[in-house]
Amino acid sequence: MRPLIDLGYRMRRWALALLGWRTRGVKVMAFDGGGRLLLVRHRYGRSDLWMLPGGGMARGESAVGAAARELREETRCVLRDAVPVSAFESSAEGRRDTVTLIRGRTDDPPVADGVELAEARFFPPGALPSALSPATARRIAEWRGERTADGRW
């Protein structure tokens, strides 16, 4: 199954870049009651890196609505007290993308969906995995006040 997921991921990236479509997506900084941050590892792409959960926004869907839906689909966690933090522009995957960062909390234990995600876990802010995606590391540094957001994902 993994080779098919990888192939589909690559073909979608190629098609979106070729057509120059603008996409909109969300990433979620979800914290549990103990202040731990939820991170995920995908089964496709850079599956060795931990990153914030998220995904695409459907037409007419709000950023907060998309964040809640994606978090629930990927991890079975319900997003509460969600607020938009900021919007970022990205061309990292060869397409023009606007990513809205949403921050909220969840009281649910994460369960990776097993299709898109290989793993989903909470991490204490002082004990994050060393293999963070660069964008996730930047968002965490901004949250900690260690850097200023520059508008680029």
Side-chain angles (χ1 to χ4, degrees), residues 69-90:
R69 177 184 50 75
E70 285 289 340
L71 192 67
R72 188 178 56 254
E73 287 175 359
E74 292 181 355
T75 68
R76 296 187 193 165
C77 292
V78 175
L79 186 63
R80 293 178 169 67
D81 304 325
V83 294
V85 175
S86 52
F88 300 85
E89 294 300 316
S90 174

Side-chain angles (χ1 to χ4, degrees), residues 96-150:
R96 297 174 304 146
D97 194 16
T98 300
V99 181
T100 302
L101 180 63
I102 305 294
R103 192 173 299 141
R105 67 176 186 84
T106 184
D107 299 321
D108 305 309
V111 177
D113 68 0
V115 175
E116 189 173 350
L117 298 184
E119 199 170 355
R121 289 188 3 212
F122 283 107
F123 291 91
L128 296 171
S130 59
L132 289 173
S133 76
T136 297
R138 288 191 296 273
R139 301 300 77 84
I140 292 170
E142 291 161 4
W143 169 68
R144 289 179 169 165
E146 299 168 354
R147 70 173 271 147
T148 303
D150 62 8

Side-chain angles (χ1 to χ4, degrees), residues 5-17:
I5 292 171
D6 277 340
L7 178 62
Y9 171 72
R10 287 188 187 125
M11 289 180 65
R12 182 177 186 274
R13 279 183 59 181
W14 176 81
L16 288 172

Side-chain angles (χ1 to χ4, degrees), residues 32-49:
D32 69 3
R36 297 178 305 164
L37 177 63
L38 178 59
L39 296 174
V40 300
R41 274 190 327 99
H42 287 92
R43 294 181 64 132
Y44 56 84
R46 291 293 310 270
S47 61
D48 60 318
L49 297 179

